[in-house]
Each structure stands twice: as structure tokens, then as C-alpha cells.
């Protein structure tokens, strides 16, 4: 199975998503757009398209960030969705999924950086892919925005600071505003590029300090993510 990552910045690394893909022996490819890599022409040879986060938003133009082609990524996502592929978006990636389906992103009520609980909705509790999630689960966060909602979208989980933490757009397409892929190594990269936000942690309800970020255990949420991906792979292969 081929898993393709779109990576916008080296400090927004795939983390546990990449660990899962390599552990299962999948063919892993990348569009590291910050290095000038091109996007795939289409999604024909991709099984899982995983679009990572970044400091950009879907409204960021090529003039503002030359290596980020929002419209190009949205076109690829739409192609993958139409072809029945699995599409997972994380943070910016989740917002790009919504945009590609006609649902504009929005600003989150609160900035969230750190590890805070999300809560499953009724729809989330009914979805077999999330049956192993506890009702509330502490996960990683690093965002200001949130994905838009299509008429058919279902909110799977929310947090006190953001009403759209996990969104199901279809049985194969999911937006994760939260960051369940975080590992200590990825967190360290993000800390190094977040001086402005983290220096003002005391001004926000849901922003951890660097010391707090380093002290968290991210392994439990990684394991929950792995099980979700296992179930999603089984669903994809059985179709």
C-alpha cells in the first residue's frame, strides 16, 4: 500500500503517522514542498494521502509563501476523494480538505498549543473507527484555526477550546485539527519554531510552556492513532 505525505515544513513532521506506515511496510513517499518537491499529478497510485500541518492557512497565496500551493493541494485532495482513496488531513491539512469540498476554514475560538483533552461526540461514539477511543482523551494541539464543515460532515470530537477537533467527511476522509502524531522529537522541532507563541503562554487558556510540552507523555495518543489507522486500512482494503 502506498502512503503519500504532503509535508509543508520540516518542523511539521509526520511523526507517528510515518512510524505507523513504516512499521507496516507500506511504500512511503513524500512531497516535501518546503524543499521544492512537486505534488503528485493525480491520486491514481496513492492509497493513503496524508496532508500535514503548517503555519500557513488555506487562504495563503503563492505570493505570500512560494512553496505552498493551496489550490494545487486542494485539487489533489479532491482527486483523491473522488477516486475513493483514504485522505487524512492534520491541522492545515484538515482545513485544506474542507476547502477542497467547498467548506471554508474558520478561526478557532481559542489558540491551543500543548496537550489537552478532546471529547467524542455522539457521532464519534457510534463510529467503529473510534470505538477504542475513551470518551475523553488527552491529545496534542498546535493551532489557531479549524476545518470547515460540509453538509454531510460529522464532528467526531471537540475540545473546550475548539468545536471541530476531528471531522469525518466520509467513511474514508478525515480531518484532524488535533495533533495525535506528536512525538518528543517533533515537539522539540515545533518548540524551536514557536518562540513568539510560547513566550506568551500565560496570556492563553490552552497554551503550554516549553517545559510543560517536554514533560508530556505522547505515547498513549500515538497508540490510539495507530489503532485508528489499522481500522481505516482494513476498511479501505475490504471495499
Amino acid at each position: 500500500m502506498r502512503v503519500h505525505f504532503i509535508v509543508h515544513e520540516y518542523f511539521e513532521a509526520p511523526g507517528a503517522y510515518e512510524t505507523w506506515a513504516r512499521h507496516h511496510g507500506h511504500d512511503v513517499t513524500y512531497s516535501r514542498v518546503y524543499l521544492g518537491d512537486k505534488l503528485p499529478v493525480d491520486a491514481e497510485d496513492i492509497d493513503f494521502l496524508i496532508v500535514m500541518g503548517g503555519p500557513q492557512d488555506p487562504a495563503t497565496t503563492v505570493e505570500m509563501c512560494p512553496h505552498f500551493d493551496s489550490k494545487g493541494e486542494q485539487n489533489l485532495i479532491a482527486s483523491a476523494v473522488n477516486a475513493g482513496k483514504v485522505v487524512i488531513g492534520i491541522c492545515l491539512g484538515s482545513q485544506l480538505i474542507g476547502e477542497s469540498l467547498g467548506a471554508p476554514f474558520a478561526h478557532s475560538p481559542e489558540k491551543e498549543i500543548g496537550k489537552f483533552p478532546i471529547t467524542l461526540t455522539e457521532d464519534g461514539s457510534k463510529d467503529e473507527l473510534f470505538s477504542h477511543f475513551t470518551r475523553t482523551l488527552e491529545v496534542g494541539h498546535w493551532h489557531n484555526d479549524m476545518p470547515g464543515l460540509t453538509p454531510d460532515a460529522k464532528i467526531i470530537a471537540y475540545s473546550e477550546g475548539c468545536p471541530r477537533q476531528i471531522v469525518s467527511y466520509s467513511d474514508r476522509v478525515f480531518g484532524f485539527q488535533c495533533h495525535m502524531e506528536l512525538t518528543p522529537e517533533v515537539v522539540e522541532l515545533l518548540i524551536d519554531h514557536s518562540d513568539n507563541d510560547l513566550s506568551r503562554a500565560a496570556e492563553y487558556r490552552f497554551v503550554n510552556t516549553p517545559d510543560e510540552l517536554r514533560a508530556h507523555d505522547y505515547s498513549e495518543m500515538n497508540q490510539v492513532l495507530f489503532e485508528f489507522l489499522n481500522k481505516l486500512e482494513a476498511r479501505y482494503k475490504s471495499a
Side-chain angles (χ1 to χ4, degrees):
M1 194 174 76
R2 182 180 177 193
V3 178
H4 187 81
F5 289 98
I6 299 177
V7 186
H8 300 107
E9 307 291 348
Y10 77 88
F11 52 87
E12 293 267 7
Y17 285 99
E18 183 178 37
T19 300
W20 171 83
R22 294 200 174 280
H23 175 76
H24 286 273
H26 296 320
D27 181 12
V28 180
T29 56
Y30 305 86
S31 292
R32 296 183 177 96
V33 297
Y34 63 93
L35 294 178
D37 292 352
K38 302 298 184 185
L39 299 173
V41 175
D42 57 46
E44 181 179 352
D45 296 325
I46 297 172
D47 296 300
F48 272 49
L49 176 64
I50 302 180
V51 187
M52 299 307 301
Q56 305 86 354
D57 64 44
T60 301
T61 65
V62 175
E63 289 73 26
M64 296 164 65
C65 181
H67 69 256
F68 175 59
D69 180 3
S70 179
K71 294 301 183 185
E73 292 193 25
Q74 290 176 44
N75 290 338
L76 178 62
I77 289 168
S79 169
V81 172
N82 291 335
K85 309 297 186 178
V86 168
V87 183
I88 300 172
I90 299 90
C91 200
L92 170 60
S94 70
Q95 298 153 29
L96 289 167
I97 290 175
E99 293 277 340
S100 75
L101 299 175
F105 81 102
H107 296 304
S108 177
E110 300 274 359
K111 179 191 291 288
E112 291 177 300
I113 298 177
K115 191 180 179 192
F116 303 100
I118 59 172
T119 302
L120 288 184
T121 63
E122 185 176 351
D123 282 327
S125 298
K126 291 177 179 177
D127 192 321
E128 189 277 332
L129 292 182
F130 299 93
S131 62
H132 63 291
F133 277 54
T134 52
R135 173 76 170 142
T136 61
L137 175 70
E138 289 207 348
V139 301
H141 304 270
W142 215 291
H143 73 99
N144 298 295
D145 299 320
M146 61 184 181
L149 300 176
T150 62
D152 296 329
K154 295 178 181 179
I155 298 176
I156 299 296
Y158 63 93
S159 68
E160 187 177 351
C162 178
R164 306 173 192 170
Q165 285 289 355
I166 304 176
V167 177
S168 168
Y169 291 98
S170 77
D171 64 352
R172 298 185 186 185
V173 181
F174 296 89
F176 283 74
Q177 187 57 58
C178 54
H179 289 266
M180 296 181 69
E181 81 283 0
L182 294 183
T183 65
E185 294 77 16
V186 174
V187 166
E188 201 61 44
L189 293 174
L190 285 163
I191 288 173
D192 288 344
H193 287 82
S194 302
D195 288 344
N196 186 52
D197 285 332
L198 297 180
S199 66
R200 300 168 58 199
E203 300 176 28
Y204 299 98
R205 298 172 64 201
F206 302 109
V207 176
N208 287 163
T209 65
D211 285 345
E212 289 171 327
L213 287 162
R214 292 184 175 109
H216 289 312
D217 180 359
Y218 300 100
S219 59
E220 179 183 0
M221 72 176 186
N222 291 164
Q223 292 299 321
V224 174
L225 176 63
F226 295 155
E227 182 60 22
F228 165 78
L229 294 170
N230 289 340
K231 291 180 180 181
L232 188 54
E233 180 184 357
R235 174 181 288 181
Y236 176 72
K237 288 182 174 179
S238 67

